[in-house]
Amino acid sequence: ANPVIAGRRDVTMRDVLDRAQQQLDPQFKEQPSVHATLARVIGGAYAAMGESEPALRLLTTAEKELSAQQGEAADETQAARTALREMYVNQLDFPNLMRWSQRIVEVEQAAGTPHPEIAADAAGLVATLQCSASYFSIFVSRCDPTIDRL
C-alpha cells in the first residue's frame, strides 16, 4: 500500500492484494501455517471485492492447507470454509453455497460442535436453502401448466 514502493500515489486495493498474492509463495512457502492463514485473509479480501477467480484459488488452498495442518474443525480451517461460503452467498451460487454450508455443519457435528455459533449459522443457512428450494420447486410446478397454456 506504500505509494513509494508502488511507484505511484493512487494505489488501489486490487494493487495491494495482487502484490500480496505474488509474494505469498516466495516469502511464506517455508512457513505453511503463515502461508495458509495469509491465503485465507487475502482470498477473503478478493472475495469481498467480487474477484472470484483469485478468491477461489486462495481460499481453496487455505482450506486444504489449514485442514491438513490444524485439523478439520480448527478455527482457521472453519474460517476458510466460512469465507468460501460467503463468497458463494455474494455470487448467489446456491449449489456451492449449500455444499460449503453442509461441509461446515458436518465438520462441526463430527467434532462435537466446538463452534456452536458457526454450526448454528451454517445449519440455519442449510435449512433456509432447503426450504427455499422446496418452495421454488412447488412454485415452478404450479406455473408450468400456465406457461404451457400461454
Side-chain angles (χ1 to χ4, degrees), residues 85-103:
R85 183 192 72 188
E86 293 304 312
M87 180 183 76
Y88 291 122
V89 167
N90 294 333
Q91 294 174 356
L92 300 177
D93 181 340
F94 296 110
N96 280 312
L97 170 56
M98 179 65 106
R99 180 172 68 102
W100 283 104
S101 296
Q102 287 174 323
R103 180 73 180 123

Side-chain angles (χ1 to χ4, degrees), residues 42-92:
I42 296 166
Y46 272 121
M49 291 176 43
E51 297 289 340
S52 302
E53 188 277 322
L56 179 60
R57 184 171 18 83
L58 288 163
L59 291 172
T60 301
T61 296
E63 191 271 339
K64 287 178 185 171
E65 290 177 0
L66 290 164
S67 180
Q69 295 166 15
Q70 298 181 14
E72 287 285 311
D75 292 351
E76 286 286 322
T77 308
Q78 288 292 64
R81 290 187 187 112
T82 301
L84 278 161
R85 183 192 72 188
E86 293 304 312
M87 180 183 76
Y88 291 122
V89 167
N90 294 333
Q91 294 174 356
L92 300 177

